[in-house]
């Protein structure tokens, strides 16, 4: 009599181990409606990183702030330290950087020749 509960428990466990069905997986997330579009999408190309940043003083004692990007096909130009940046792009590596409105820049992080709209051309050095 004393061993009856042990036998009943062993029998119950034995009957449970005989089941080999997998449990149903329940998820509260809906399937991604864009999954097929994302799987077929073209690879994403990251923008280039900044290779160097320069603050240059021009002949008229003004400053320009230039960020040179890797690949030598674009620069970011500011005429004030916290001012609005203008992105200038070159058609080919080593060519002049240009943007709409009359912006043009040639040179290196040590010395540039920059043309600003309404201000003409000036040479700036580190």
């Amino acid at each position: 009599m004393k061993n009856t509960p042990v036998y009943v428990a062993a029998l119950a466990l034995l009957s449970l181990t005989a089941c080999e069905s997998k449990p149903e997986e329940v998820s509260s997330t809906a399937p991604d409606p864009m999954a097929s579009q994302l799987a077929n999408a073209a690879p994403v190309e990251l923008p280039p990183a900044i290779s160097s940043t320069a603050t240059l003083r021009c002949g008229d004692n003004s400053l320009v702030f230039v960020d040179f990007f890797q690949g030598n096909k674009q620069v970011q130009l500011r005429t004030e330290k916290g001012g609005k940046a203008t992105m200038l792009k070159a058609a080919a590596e080593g060519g002049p950087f240009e943007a709409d409105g009359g912006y043009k820049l040639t040179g290196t992080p040590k010395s540039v020749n920059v043309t600003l709209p309404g201000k003409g051309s000036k040479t700036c050095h580190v």
Side-chain angles (χ1 to χ4, degrees):
M1 239 359 189
K2 292 183 182 178
N3 291 335
T4 305
V6 173
Y7 291 125
V8 172
L11 184 62
L13 287 175
L14 183 62
S15 66
L16 289 176
T17 59
C19 298
E20 289 190 26
S21 63
K22 294 182 181 178
E24 181 182 346
E25 192 172 315
V26 179
S27 174
S28 64
T29 59
D32 187 359
M34 294 185 63
S36 63
Q37 292 174 351
L38 293 173
N40 297 326
V44 176
E45 184 178 330
L46 295 175
I50 295 175
S51 61
S52 65
T53 300
T55 301
L56 302 119
R57 184 162 302 274
C58 304
D60 63 355
N61 211 25
S62 63
L63 293 173
V64 292
F65 306 89
V66 185
D67 296 327
F68 290 86
F69 289 86
Q70 290 178 350
N72 297 325
K73 288 190 176 180
Q74 66 185 21
V75 296
Q76 196 170 32
L77 174 69
R78 292 184 315 275
T79 55
E80 298 174 2
K81 185 165 178 106
K84 180 184 170 202
T86 303
M87 185 66 70
L88 289 80
K89 297 186 178 191
E93 187 174 331
F97 302 100
E98 297 177 340
D100 292 339
Y103 290 93
K104 187 174 180 180
L105 185 136
T106 56
T108 66
K110 302 273 183 198
S111 176
V112 298
N113 188 351
V114 63
T115 303
L116 300 172
K119 296 185 180 178
S121 179
K122 52 187 167 182
T123 303
C124 309
H125 303 282
V126 174

